Amino acid sequence: MRAVFPGSFDPATQGHLDVARRAAGMFDEVVMCVLTNPAKTGRYPLAERLVLLADMTSELGNVTVDSCPGRLLVDYCREAGVGVVVRGVRTPGDLAHELPMAGMNLHLSGIETVFVPASPARAHVSSTLVVATARGGGREVGGNR
Ligand code: PNS
């Protein structure tokens, strides 16, 4: 089955990579697709996010990269022949945020969402904290450089 792991990936982190790697073990193909989160303003241009994603996943043979800006995830799934959505969850707060989205996507199109719990070593990693740490001159193992 072809799965999509959607996100802002602004930028992608080692936390995302951990989820992608584990999802790649569960599905025939995993597409990491950059979509628009209307609640976020965006830090990096789409092209830069895609380059980083492609670089990070280059050694994962069944993980590909795509984008679908400004459109609904369910429309992307229909057009790309995707059968399941993968999302990583780090905290109960993440899950509370994710469940209504999973429910809406199920309602809209019948697509199921599989939640992958973050590895304990990565559960503190977020794009926001990685960027803030890097801008402050710190090195954070969850980042990509
Ligand atoms: O990394 P993020 O910001 O948590 O990812 C959220 C994202 C981009 C997956 C979500 O906002 C999304 O699915 N956007 C596409 C538009 C859409 O389908 N909205 C309805 C969701 S129920």
Side-chain angles (χ1 to χ4, degrees):
M1 183 184 287
R2 187 173 210 213
V4 65
F5 176 14
S8 301
F9 302 119
D10 189 26
T13 68
Q14 291 295 320
H16 294 124
L17 183 61
D18 171 54
V19 171
R21 186 180 287 123
R22 289 159 59 210
M26 292 188 256
F27 302 103
D28 298 318
E29 181 186 354
V30 176
V31 186
M32 295 183 80
C33 185
V34 182
L35 288 114
T36 304
N37 183 341
K40 296 180 178 173
T41 49
R43 279 179 286 253
Y44 295 98
L46 174 61
E48 284 185 31
R49 298 185 208 182
L50 289 169
V51 167
L52 178 59
L53 271 175
D55 186 46
M56 287 173 66
T57 57
S58 62
E59 288 175 11
L60 299 177
N62 62 338
V63 176
T64 58
V65 169
D66 200 358
S67 67
C68 192
R71 307 224 18 238
L72 286 177
L73 174 59
V74 291
D75 289 337
Y76 176 80
C77 292
R78 194 177 300 117
E79 289 165 20
V82 162
V84 67
V85 174
V86 171
R87 291 283 285 170
V89 287
R90 296 162 297 191
T91 63
D94 274 356
L95 197 56
H97 176 73
E98 293 293 332
L99 285 173
M101 289 199 293
M104 179 60 83
N105 288 332
L106 181 66
H107 174 74
L108 287 173
S109 73
I111 197 154
E112 298 284 1
T113 299
V114 169
F115 294 113
V116 176
S119 298
R122 299 287 182 221
H124 65 290
V125 175
S126 70
S127 300
T128 301
L129 286 183
V130 166
V131 169
T133 304
R135 285 186 179 155
R139 283 183 59 83
E140 154 55 52
V141 293
N144 300 297
R145 298 286 179 230

